[in-house]
Amino acid sequence: MALTGILFDSKGRISKNQFWQGVVVLVTLQLVFSGFSLLLPPTFGSGALGFLMIIVFGVFYFYTYMSVYGKRLHDAGTTGWWFVLFLFGWIFLTLVTIEFFYNMFGTTFWGMFTQMFEIQTNDGEEAAQAWLEEFAIENRFSSTYGGALQAIVLNAVVGLIPGVLMGSDPFENVHGEPLQ
């Protein structure tokens, strides 16, 4: 199956190797998008165009991940809807590990939120927004590096179940013939 089929077709089956090819492409796209974001002003994401770009990329990313995971789950003889379980696992691991990965490069993620809410409570919304913009400028590289490392590690960890531990269904199933 061609790479476009792996990424954009939600029907059928893919092998473990094809699954990892899709994951590597998606992680690479995520890293390129993160690198591209360094070229933009730090407050770009708070504007309408930045928000629209984030939404479009998010929908694209969600669909392609769903296609890659869904076809691998099909090959294992299960429904692709189990992807939702992997999605929740990825979100949970992101929240649990975010401080660790960001702190490796000097940014304390939860500390940032605590300080921003304190400024907002004491000095108002405008002061908190100004502080956040300054924080984004000072920490843009460290947060991008932390996020990139976190994306690589979490995709490898979450991908272990369908990419390594789940075997292929050796028989024809509702999703197609067995792979060779």
Side-chain angles (χ1 to χ4, degrees):
M1 178 179 287
L3 189 57
T4 55
I6 293 172
L7 296 175
F8 299 110
D9 185 9
S10 61
K11 295 180 178 4
R13 298 165 72 158
I14 59 173
S15 67
K16 292 177 182 182
N17 186 31
Q18 291 170 317
F19 169 80
W20 285 114
Q21 288 174 11
V23 169
V24 166
V25 167
L26 291 171
V27 170
T28 302
L29 286 175
Q30 185 176 0
L31 297 177
V32 167
F33 186 74
S34 293
F36 175 71
S37 71
L38 289 173
L39 302 174
L40 301 172
T43 57
F44 182 76
S46 61
L49 181 59
F51 183 72
L52 179 63
M53 285 178 60
I54 291 168
I55 295 295
V56 168
F57 185 75
V59 169
F60 164 80
Y61 211 59
F62 178 80
Y63 180 77
T64 52
Y65 257 98
M66 182 184 65
S67 295
V68 170
Y69 272 81
K71 284 193 294 289
R72 181 67 200 115
L73 292 166
H74 290 169
D75 185 54
T78 64
T79 177
W81 284 105
W82 282 106
F83 165 73
V84 174
L85 184 65
F86 291 100
L87 179 64
F88 284 129
W90 196 87
I91 291 170
F92 174 76
L93 288 173
T94 297
L95 294 175
V96 168
T97 63
I98 196 164
E99 186 69 23
F100 173 76
F101 285 107
Y102 281 67
N103 208 14
M104 288 177 72
F105 298 98
T107 302
T108 68
F109 192 79
W110 297 117
M112 176 206 55
F113 279 114
T114 304
Q115 191 167 353
M116 185 183 70
F117 288 131
E118 184 178 313
I119 292 170
Q120 184 178 18
T121 302
N122 297 332
D123 302 325
E125 183 70 35
E126 288 182 20
Q129 184 64 33
W131 180 85
L132 184 60
E133 289 175 10
E134 183 179 317
F135 182 88
I137 291 168
E138 291 173 5
N139 294 285
R140 67 191 301 186
F141 289 102
S142 62
S143 62
T144 300
Y145 298 150
L149 183 60
Q150 184 181 32
I152 293 167
V153 171
L154 291 185
N155 276 288
V157 168
V158 173
L160 282 176
I161 296 171
V164 175
L165 301 177
M166 293 181 86
S168 295
D169 184 354
F171 305 105
E172 180 177 353
N173 63 30
V174 295
H175 305 291
E177 295 284 325
L179 300 170
Q180 302 302 326

